Amino acid sequence: MVWSSIALAVSLVGFAAVIPAAWIAARTRWLSWLPGTTLACSLLFGTFVGIVLISSTRPLRLDLGVAPFQFGIEIDPLASFFLILICAVSLPVILYAAAYLPRHYSPVQTQWIWGLTSLFLLSMALVVVASTGFAFLVGWELMTLLSAALILVDGTSKERLHNLFIYLLMMHVGAGVVAASFFAFLPASGGLHFSALRASGALLTPGARSVIFLLAFVGFGTKAGIIPLHLWLPKAHPIAPTPVSALMSGLMLKTAVYGFVRFTFDFLGGGPAWAGYVVLLAGAVSGVLGVLYAIGEHDLKRLLAYHSVENIGIIYMGLGAALIFLENDAPAWAAVAVVAALFHTLNHALFKSLLFLGAGAIADATHTLDIDELGGLVKRLPITGIAFLIGCASIVGLPPLNGFVSELLIFQSFLAGSTLAALPAQVILPLMAGVLALIGGLAAACFAKVYGVAFLGRARTAAAESAQEVPPMMLSGMGLLAASCIGLGVFPRLALDTLFSVAQTLVPGSSPPTEIAGLQRILVATTVAVLGIGLLTMAARVRRRVTAPWACGLPGLTTRMQYTSASFSKPIRAVFAAVYKADRKLDVLPANRPYFPSSISYRSVRTTSFERSLYRPMTNVVVTLATGMRRLQTGNIQVYLLYIFLTLVALLAMLGVQE
Amino acid sequence: MRSLIPLVQALVIVFGAPLLRGVVSKLKARLQGRQGASVWRPYADLGKLFRKEDLVPPLASPLFWMAPRIVFAATAAAVLLIPVFQPAAVFGSPGDFVLLVGLLALARFFLVLGAMDGGGAFGGMGGSREALVSALAEAPFLLGITAVAIMARSTQLAGIVTWTLGQNFFDISAVHILAFSALAMVAVAETGRVPVDNPTTHLELTMIHEAMVLEHSGPSLAFLEWANSIKLGLLLSLLIGLFFPWGMAAGFSLPVLALAAGAYAAKMAALALVLAAVESSVAKMRMYAVPDFLGIASATGALAVVFTAFGGR
Amino acid sequence: MDLVQFAAGKTLSSSAVFLLVTVLLLAAAQRVSTSIKLFALQSAIITAQVMATAYTEKSAEAWVVAAMVFGLKVIAIPSTLLWLVERLKTRRAVEPTISGAKAVFVAVFMIFLSYAAVQPYALESHIAADALSSAVALILVGAFLMVNRRKALMQIIGLLVLENGIFLAALATTFGMPLVIEIGIFFDLLMGILIMGIFAFRIRDTFDHLDVTKLRRLRG
């Protein structure tokens, strides 16, 4: 306990110390490594704190301030898991950033980014360790503001500002709803300390319970990126600096998952009866639509942002299953589903950060993120290629990598749904296994496209032909993440055992069912089998000769004859055409001689259907209301004085009536 | 001795797969009124390919020749999960059928990547079509096995087989009929047989699997063809194990095992005959009719799962 | 004797799943002649069910009903409809509004609904839940086929499937219907088919097609 407190203090000081370190480093050339190193040390101490506290029975507590501005920290097992996630996953990202930032930004910009990133990580850590509503909301708000500041450092063009505005708007609406969900506890709990909220959770009326659950679902769902609240994700993540995109996609979304888990499992003890089905359905829709939107993209960062939507959907599917099990008195399987969702959270943080760092490396080497302009990169950037391949295989959920294990656990919990007595759960949960399989299949198609078009084949442009491998520090950052993906995939018990004990605190009265034992054994055995057979077949000496590929008898293949991203995804986009309603405009000039055109122009704009059907009407309503309210602002000073006078009269009247 | 039996059954599938392919081709030929090649022809083909040299396109990366070997390794490792002569496999654990699907997905992922690395147009074409077919085939695959697993109250393939062995064949179960229909349709799609894909076509625009292996040659092509045959043997053995396992050896004595091997051979021959008959009587669907076909398989699988809730019979 | 009893028992308990398979195939069918043959197959399964009921309930009337069902619904009506298809020279495709996999999903949902609705009721009343559920499923899917298909002929088939469902429901609840009711229903059906057949000819002669979505002049 003492050591963890000291380590925590050192870590906090370290986060703060990055700012003066950055200031110094901006002034002197040879101290430019200082902020990065300071930040890495703070993160190491933070990880240490988390590891110590995740298995301890006494959480670390600290309370300051007076109501209503109570500021408290409580690091219980769930918080320490997320603390480890934030600190440990950002370490490789910081390592990468130490080499990436100086190559792309001026020294002043670099130090600004270091300072802001340190505070950004601090705010995320604050969100997960907060034990009062005030501290939580402060951290929540700081996350948004600091990430917005980091986006601004990268440039202020008109389009970027527009995307940033949408990001800030949606984040603040979400924060407002989260705050409302905290305040909805007030009548029952009388204060916003988490212990008070927990105690009052059992005494809530069903109406209040439903309201709080819905507010928490919408508020945290906005931050997590559940469809249809995902609009900001593909706009905000691509415009941040690459290490920051990795942090936003890998870690910031997880704080929303933390908040949702804290609210539904800890405070509400399971939510209303229908909660599980709502969460399950939202997760399924997000998963399918997220991956379908991703298949239509060819900008690498936007594609990865949509895949974050898909994976958050999978996490929510696991959480929904857990809520359904909890509702039907099956705590053992509820714990398994929670463990599966939390493990997928960890895995997603790992492989999504890896993929974003890989995208940054591609941008560094070729100065473009459009995969249609790449090709053959695996020969120019071999180590990046291998790391990116591991990231692709993990996110698709292929054995023996970590994405497969968490999806397997979610599958098993869905199958266990058939043992419940309630008919809806008995039918819906196993059917969700089919939906999860569909999501996995589509994700495999998408990443086969990404890797095949960007890294394999032949280079489509000169930029791709002349790409150089990135500096070793960036490679080591990616390598650490790739190694952990493989490690957690073959030896999942490293994380699963700890996660089961975390789940015990959330879902009391459960012990791991016997179905989960033996998982690591078979994964290791299968990995050994695959590797063994693979190496055996590769070991044999084979004569190899280089010759031109088949071109249907034509003189030769040009690089333009390869499949592009749009052509690879065309069959899937054609089958799911109802999802991609593109506005297509085809202009043939001159109009009176259509068979002998002098020019043809084709324009296809895809606005996602949610923008058209949900957001535009809502913004129109808001704008109409605001325009109506503008009539109150007449500009006439006498009218303003009248307002003040009327307010006074009204207050006096109210006082009089009360008496 | 005891633990060697499951290994032997895995080796039987792996090394007997080309024979299965030969038998199917021979039956197809006979049904179409031709003589057909010998049933041992695929072995001769593999031998010929292994002796040749590997042709690699210029500018292809090492992944081009590594991918076929990874495909073979993943498919062969998947065989280790299937019970064949006994209701036990080399590896088994709760939820191992998800691992089976995962290994087949790994094989398919690298097959598509190897095709894209060729740098030609056909690799991409085969890859994109295969991506569509496999994306839609995963759901009915898992739904079918899920339905059977729920009925058997076990998520381990060996457990499902053991449960089915204890059932009466004439107790017709709605869940099993529907799950079998779904899995049969998926097996046709996954192994690239008519009506989803024609394995003997030479017209590039009609190819799905063949377009992906177009650029490979020599030992790489041998591994890919062998992996394809193993996949066919694997899926047919899975169908037999889940739906018609009677005859499997309960003990370890030689006569019981011999009987099990004979029963297995007879069932495989029957399935090969059905496959040959189907391939000879229906035409290959155009590619955009395949999603409909797999959608019907998904609906059937979903109905099988739904029926498990109604006491499933 | 024992074997026949066994076969009869098995028929009664397992015919539901085969009926549902024909239902799914009907939802997915792409040719009119295939739909007609599937309907004939369905009626044959129902005939087998009637015969099994006749054997177990030992009622002579039921044998007559079985013969009538076989003669009318397995032989007479399907061959008449096939002849009608030949004579009308319509295109062979079914032309549904929702096609292929989506229609099968709707059929699956209908089957789920009918099972979910019938199950609690059947448990209390000791009726064979399977038979009644599949009967309700036939009714629902028959109605869906009538809504989904654009050709006038296909709507006749939808109606016939619906009628199969009603017949099966009556069979399940009364264990062998009184002969008089059955004869009445059959004559209704016969008249209905005759009239619809004549109308199909008249529609085709007047409009040159059988697409019902285009027959909309009679509106306000």
Side-chain angles (χ1 to χ4, degrees):
Chain A
M1 187 59 62
V2 175
W3 290 113
S4 45
S5 314
I6 295 177
L8 184 64
V10 171
S11 178
L12 287 172
V13 165
F15 278 120
V18 175
I19 300 178
W23 189 84
I24 297 174
R27 304 285 183 287
T28 49
R29 184 78 66 82
W30 58 275
L31 275 178
S32 55
W33 49 267
L34 192 60
T37 325
T38 321
L39 187 54
C41 291
S42 323
L43 290 171
L44 272 171
F45 276 101
T47 320
F48 172 70
V49 170
I51 294 179
V52 166
L53 288 172
I54 197 168
S55 35
S56 82
T57 46
R58 282 190 321 139
L60 176 65
R61 269 202 197 94
L62 176 69
D63 281 305
L64 302 165
V66 281
F69 300 115
Q70 270 179 316
F71 195 97
I73 294 180
E74 179 175 339
I75 311 185
D76 61 356
L78 180 67
S80 26
F81 167 68
F82 277 92
L83 190 63
I84 296 177
L85 194 153
I86 290 175
C87 294
V89 173
S90 42
L91 265 174
V93 178
I94 300 303
L95 200 60
Y96 177 96
Y100 178 86
L101 292 176
R103 283 164 75 91
H104 288 254
Y105 300 98
S106 72
V108 175
Q109 274 180 325
T110 311
Q111 303 317 331
W112 266 107
I113 293 182
W114 277 123
L116 289 171
T117 308
S118 160
L119 289 176
F120 181 48
L121 286 168
L122 179 61
S123 65
M124 280 200 271
L126 178 60
V127 165
V128 301
V129 303
S131 70
T132 63
F134 176 67
F136 188 92
L137 289 171
V138 162
W140 197 257
E141 188 62 22
L142 278 178
M143 275 198 310
T144 308
L145 292 176
L146 289 165
S147 49
L150 281 164
I151 292 176
L152 278 173
V153 172
D154 207 4
T156 53
S157 75
K158 192 156 171 289
E159 197 191 324
R160 291 175 63 93
L161 286 178
H162 174 76
N163 289 341
L164 183 61
F165 174 70
I166 294 180
Y167 172 57
L168 281 173
L169 185 65
M170 290 196 67
M171 289 296 97
H172 279 112
V173 168
V177 178
V178 169
S181 65
F182 270 109
F183 295 145
F185 265 108
L186 274 177
S189 68
L192 286 180
H193 199 280
F194 280 13
S195 48
L197 297 178
R198 213 169 287 143
S200 66
L203 313 165
L204 287 170
T205 63
R209 186 178 282 265
S210 308
V211 165
I212 295 178
F213 171 75
L214 275 174
L215 286 173
F217 180 64
V218 171
F220 290 113
T222 314
K223 187 71 153 186
I226 292 285
I227 287 187
L229 306 161
H230 68 288
L231 203 71
W232 60 274
L233 244 176
K235 291 189 196 292
H237 282 192
I239 56 177
T242 300
V244 176
S245 298
L247 291 178
M248 282 170 75
S249 202
L251 303 179
M252 200 172 68
L253 300 181
K254 311 303 179 293
T255 58
V257 173
Y258 163 77
F260 185 66
V261 170
R262 181 64 83 186
F263 256 81
T264 39
F265 286 93
D266 203 10
F267 299 162
L268 291 179
W274 41 265
Y277 294 102
V278 167
V279 175
L280 187 65
L281 186 65
V285 169
S286 306
V288 175
L289 284 182
V291 74
L292 283 176
Y293 288 140
I295 287 181
E297 291 289 332
H298 56 98
D299 176 86
L300 193 50
K301 277 196 180 177
R302 275 180 69 102
L303 187 145
L304 291 174
Y306 274 117
H307 272 288
S308 295
V309 172
E310 169 218 335
N311 279 290
I312 291 285
I314 296 178
I315 296 172
Y316 267 61
M317 281 170 87
L319 290 175
L323 286 171
I324 295 178
F325 280 120
L326 210 55
E327 184 59 34
N328 285 291
D329 287 322
W333 281 106
V336 173
V338 167
V339 166
L342 290 179
F343 193 41
H344 198 76
T345 314
L346 175 62
N347 293 335
H348 180 237
L350 286 170
F351 52 63
K352 190 42 72 68
S353 309
L354 173 60
L355 287 170
F356 265 105
L357 296 186
I362 293 177
D364 186 273
T366 61
H367 305 289
T368 178
L369 277 171
D370 186 347
I371 53 181
D372 282 336
E373 292 175 18
L374 303 171
L377 284 181
V378 76
K379 296 184 293 284
R380 309 290 308 175
L381 315 172
I383 306 184
T384 310
I386 296 176
F388 201 83
L389 180 62
I390 294 176
C392 288
S394 309
I395 196 170
V396 167
L398 297 177
L401 293 160
N402 55 0
F404 171 74
V405 183
S406 47
E407 287 194 11
L408 170 66
L409 285 175
I410 299 184
F411 267 121
Q412 283 198 292
S413 47
F414 283 152
L415 252 77
S418 62
T419 57
L420 296 175
L423 183 66
Q426 241 185 342
V427 166
I428 292 181
L429 279 177
L431 284 179
M432 284 294 143
V435 173
L436 190 58
L438 176 68
I439 296 176
L442 289 172
C446 186
F447 276 98
K449 170 192 87 168
V450 168
Y451 200 77
V453 171
F455 279 88
L456 301 176
R458 297 153 66 189
R460 291 177 179 79
T461 56
E465 261 175 31
S466 54
Q468 298 285 343
E469 184 64 278
V470 294
M473 279 263 266
M474 290 166 67
L475 291 176
S476 56
M478 289 195 277
L480 272 175
L481 289 170
S484 39
C485 284
I486 300 179
L488 281 179
V490 184
F491 303 105
R493 289 278 292 271
L494 288 171
L496 282 179
D497 290 340
T498 334
L499 278 173
F500 266 111
S501 60
V502 171
Q504 306 285 5
T505 67
L506 287 173
V507 181
S510 57
S511 56
T514 50
E515 277 83 348
I516 308 304
L519 181 64
Q520 185 161 299
R521 244 194 333 260
I522 196 174
L523 283 170
V524 172
T526 323
T527 315
V528 166
V530 172
L531 277 177
I533 302 176
L535 288 173
L536 206 66
T537 50
M538 288 194 222
R541 288 189 47 75
V542 171
R543 295 191 320 273
R544 218 161 267 139
R545 181 159 62 94
V546 171
T547 181
W550 175 238
C552 276
L554 292 175
L557 288 173
T558 69
T559 60
R560 298 291 305 162
M561 291 180 189
Q562 290 177 109
Y563 260 53
T564 62
S565 153
S567 42
F568 193 95
S569 57
K570 179 65 179 173
I572 297 182
R573 283 186 295 122
V575 169
F576 291 99
V579 170
Y580 308 96
K581 294 201 191 62
D583 292 320
R584 291 203 176 96
K585 231 163 86 72
L586 178 65
D587 287 321
V588 180
L589 294 172
N592 58 345
R593 298 196 321 171
Y595 294 111
F596 301 95
S598 59
S599 90
I600 302 178
S601 83
Y602 171 77
R603 195 163 164 273
S604 165
V605 173
R606 221 183 315 117
T607 35
T608 56
S609 36
F610 292 104
E611 220 169 311
R612 223 179 300 147
S613 53
L614 187 63
Y615 286 95
R616 295 243 173 93
M618 267 173 34
T619 50
N620 288 341
V621 164
V622 169
V623 168
T624 317
L625 277 176
T627 320
M629 277 178 44
R630 235 196 311 171
R631 273 187 262 137
L632 285 174
Q633 197 172 1
T634 57
N636 188 344
I637 194 168
Q638 287 178 312
V639 177
Y640 296 153
L641 288 170
L642 182 64
Y643 289 155
I644 301 176
F645 177 64
L646 284 173
T647 318
L648 277 173
V649 168
L651 281 171
L652 279 172
M654 270 197 340
L655 270 173
V657 165
Q658 264 192 345
E659 287 301 310
Chain B
M1 179 58 196
R2 197 163 269 232
S3 51
L4 275 185
I5 310 277
L7 197 58
V8 166
Q9 67 188 21
L11 288 174
V12 163
I13 298 187
V14 170
F15 287 100
L19 175 62
L20 173 68
R21 208 172 184 183
V23 166
V24 172
S25 306
K26 182 80 165 178
L27 287 172
K28 242 170 96 170
R30 283 307 176 90
L31 282 172
Q32 293 168 3
R34 299 181 276 126
Q35 275 287 76
S38 150
V39 298
W40 306 103
R41 185 57 190 276
Y43 288 106
D45 283 337
L46 283 180
K48 171 188 75 173
L49 285 171
F50 274 119
R51 282 192 293 269
K52 290 195 165 192
E53 62 183 356
D54 222 343
L55 296 178
V56 175
L59 300 179
S61 65
L63 193 96
F64 184 75
W65 57 265
M66 279 169 54
R69 288 149 176 85
I70 299 178
V71 169
F72 177 75
T75 320
V79 171
L80 297 169
L81 295 167
I82 310 267
V84 177
F85 297 140
Q86 282 189 308
V90 180
F91 301 140
S93 99
D96 59 4
F97 66 85
V98 183
L99 184 58
L100 175 73
V101 175
L103 282 170
L104 291 178
L106 177 69
R108 213 168 28 232
F109 188 69
F110 276 95
L111 185 60
V112 173
L113 288 186
M116 301 281 292
D117 204 19
F122 295 112
M125 185 181 78
S128 83
R129 292 173 168 193
E130 177 69 21
L132 173 70
V133 171
S134 61
L136 297 176
E138 291 235 349
F141 199 167
L142 271 162
L143 281 174
I145 307 186
T146 301
V148 177
I150 294 177
M151 291 298 287
R153 305 212 162 271
S154 159
T155 56
Q156 197 166 342
L157 280 174
I160 301 175
V161 172
T162 316
W163 179 88
T164 320
L165 276 175
Q167 303 298 306
N168 186 349
F169 178 69
F170 293 102
D171 260 336
I172 300 182
S173 155
V175 172
H176 281 79
I177 291 185
L178 291 167
F180 180 72
S181 323
L183 285 175
M185 289 197 263
V186 168
V188 164
E190 288 258 343
T191 52
R193 314 296 297 189
V194 176
V196 171
D197 181 19
N198 188 351
T200 58
T201 184
H202 52 276
L203 304 167
E204 293 91 348
L205 291 178
T206 64
M207 295 175 174
I208 300 181
H209 177 82
E210 294 301 309
M212 290 194 288
V213 306
L214 200 70
E215 302 295 341
H216 298 275
S217 52
S220 299
L221 182 60
F223 280 123
L224 286 173
E225 294 289 330
W226 196 357
N228 203 23
S229 318
I230 297 177
K231 199 165 170 186
L232 179 63
L234 193 159
L235 286 171
L236 290 183
S237 307
L238 185 67
L239 284 177
I240 291 177
L242 289 178
F243 297 103
F244 319 105
W246 297 280
M248 274 199 193
F252 292 95
S253 61
L254 204 54
V256 176
L257 282 173
L259 184 66
Y264 174 73
K267 290 180 223 165
M268 283 295 252
L271 275 182
L273 182 61
V274 168
L275 184 61
V278 165
E279 287 211 302
S280 309
S281 47
V282 301
K284 184 179 103 74
M285 292 187 288
R286 64 185 181 91
M287 203 191 71
Y288 281 111
V290 175
D292 246 3
F293 178 74
L294 290 171
I296 295 176
S298 301
T300 318
L303 189 60
V305 169
V306 162
F307 263 51
T308 59
F310 294 115
R313 276 204 58 253
Chain C
M1 263 323 188
D2 220 18
L3 194 61
V4 186
Q5 179 84 7
F6 174 74
K10 282 294 158 196
T11 313
L12 279 175
S13 58
S14 63
S15 48
V17 69
F18 293 114
L19 280 174
L20 292 176
V21 169
T22 58
V23 157
L24 291 179
L25 288 172
L26 264 172
Q30 288 184 324
R31 268 188 249 149
V32 183
S33 49
T34 318
S35 310
I36 298 173
K37 288 173 197 154
L38 279 171
F39 165 70
L41 180 63
Q42 210 173 59
S43 311
I45 298 174
I46 294 186
T47 316
Q49 264 185 299
V50 178
M51 289 203 290
T53 316
Y55 186 78
T56 49
E57 300 291 323
K58 307 218 183 331
S59 97
E61 293 187 330
W63 285 108
V64 181
V65 170
M68 287 183 66
V69 171
F70 188 79
L72 207 58
K73 288 204 213 166
V74 180
I75 303 197
I77 294 185
S79 35
T80 316
L81 285 175
L82 283 171
W83 173 83
L84 211 59
V85 169
E86 254 325 297
R87 282 296 304 266
L88 285 173
K89 290 198 181 37
T90 61
R91 272 185 295 148
R92 297 216 193 91
V94 163
E95 289 167 25
T97 321
I98 314 175
S99 67
K102 298 189 204 89
V104 178
F105 268 107
V106 173
V108 165
F109 183 60
M110 305 268 156
I111 296 174
F112 169 60
L113 264 182
S114 53
Y115 268 78
V118 167
Q119 225 196 12
Y121 168 72
L123 280 173
E124 320 174 338
S125 323
H126 307 289
I127 302 176
D130 268 351
L132 190 57
S133 314
S134 52
V136 175
L138 275 178
I139 295 175
L140 283 177
V141 175
F144 167 65
L145 285 177
M146 286 179 71
V147 168
N148 192 27
R149 268 39 177 187
R150 284 197 218 125
K151 273 209 170 64
L153 261 177
M154 285 305 302
Q155 303 194 319
I156 300 179
I157 296 177
L159 185 65
L160 285 170
V161 171
L162 195 96
E163 203 277 340
N164 257 353
I166 298 177
F167 176 80
L168 193 59
L171 186 68
T173 45
T174 64
F175 302 107
M177 288 202 295
L179 194 60
V180 176
I181 302 178
E182 187 51 38
I183 296 181
I185 297 181
F186 274 140
F187 268 112
D188 266 341
L189 197 63
L190 208 56
M191 286 300 121
I193 302 289
L194 267 168
I195 296 174
M196 278 194 261
I198 298 174
F199 262 107
F201 268 112
R202 295 296 301 163
I203 294 174
R204 201 278 312 259
D205 287 340
T206 316
F207 296 101
D208 248 344
H209 65 79
L210 279 174
D211 190 341
V212 299
T213 59
K214 296 194 187 132
L215 304 172
R216 294 174 59 191
R217 291 257 210 91
L218 195 68
R219 60 182 174 186

